[in-house]
Amino acid sequence: MKTFNTKNCSKNVFALVFASILIASFGITAHQAFAMGQAPSTCSNRYDGKITAMKITIGHRTFDPIANPGTTFQLRNDRSYTVTFTIHTPHKSSQNNSHGGSIWYDTSAPGFQLGTCVNSVGPNQDVTVTAKESHPSNLAPHATQNVSWNTLVPGNVSYNVKWVKP
């Protein structure tokens, strides 16, 4: 007659539950690392506008990725560049009114998707945003990064940065 050892069974069940929780927590952590910042739903009275202008400045050089799709520039990975872009708001917000509110955009410039709300905007307005970007820490020191800037309206902008060692 075989005997059933409940002590070993309890240990196996505990190990299985622990491993399942551990695997699930890795999945949650990995997901959060790829999309950060603010979700569009967190912006108050959101105006969903289109990016209508963008200028990239590196020292005395400027690039226009809207006029020149596929723009690629090279930059030392210990340097940074400035992006200035304009989002034009529609005449009504996503809540179908013309009260003060915000816009939302996201970018992959930091090495992951980063969403941002910009407050104090209104209808039919050009909202200009300036951001300073540098080499993402999650990229190899020498890499080509495809950077995108998005809103919830079609017409997103992208360009490539060829990061090189100093």
Side-chain angles (χ1 to χ4, degrees), residues 12 14 24 121 133:
N12 291 341
F14 175 75
V121 306
E133 302 298 339

Side-chain angles (χ1 to χ4, degrees), residues 1 24 38 46 52 57 96 98-99 107 116 118 123-124 126 135 150 160 164:
M1 173 179 232
Q38 298 167 301
R46 191 184 69 243
T52 57
T57 306
N96 203 29
S98 57
H99 303 303
T107 182
T116 303
V118 177
N124 200 30
D126 284 332
H135 181 265
N150 312 291
N160 300 297
V164 296

Side-chain angles (χ1 to χ4, degrees), residues 68-91:
N68 302 294
T71 294
T72 299
F73 57 89
Q74 183 172 304
L75 188 62
R76 288 176 32 170
N77 64 18
D78 62 347
R79 302 289 169 98
S80 61
Y81 63 97
T82 302
V83 179
T84 301
F85 62 97
T86 301
I87 297 175
H88 184 77
T89 61
H91 68 282

Side-chain angles (χ1 to χ4, degrees), residues 102-117:
S102 57
I103 58 169
W104 178 86
Y105 70 89
D106 82 333
T107 182
S108 63
F112 52 86
Q113 291 301 131
L114 178 65
T116 303
C117 296

Side-chain angles (χ1 to χ4, degrees), residues 21-98:
I21 292 170
L22 187 63
I23 290 170
S25 68
F26 283 136
I28 292 169
T29 303
H31 179 6
Q32 291 175 344
F34 293 108
M36 301 178 91
Q38 298 167 301
S41 61
T42 63
C43 300
S44 64
N45 198 39
R46 191 184 69 243
Y47 284 85
D48 296 329
K50 180 180 178 179
I51 298 173
T52 57
M54 181 176 283
K55 181 175 72 170
I56 300 167
T57 306
I58 307 166
H60 298 293
R61 297 181 300 161
T62 60
F63 300 92
D64 183 342
I66 293 177
N68 302 294
T71 294
T72 299
F73 57 89
Q74 183 172 304
L75 188 62
R76 288 176 32 170
N77 64 18
D78 62 347
R79 302 289 169 98
S80 61
Y81 63 97
T82 302
V83 179
T84 301
F85 62 97
T86 301
I87 297 175
H88 184 77
T89 61
H91 68 282
K92 288 195 175 181
S93 73
S94 61
Q95 301 295 313
N96 203 29
N97 66 53
S98 57

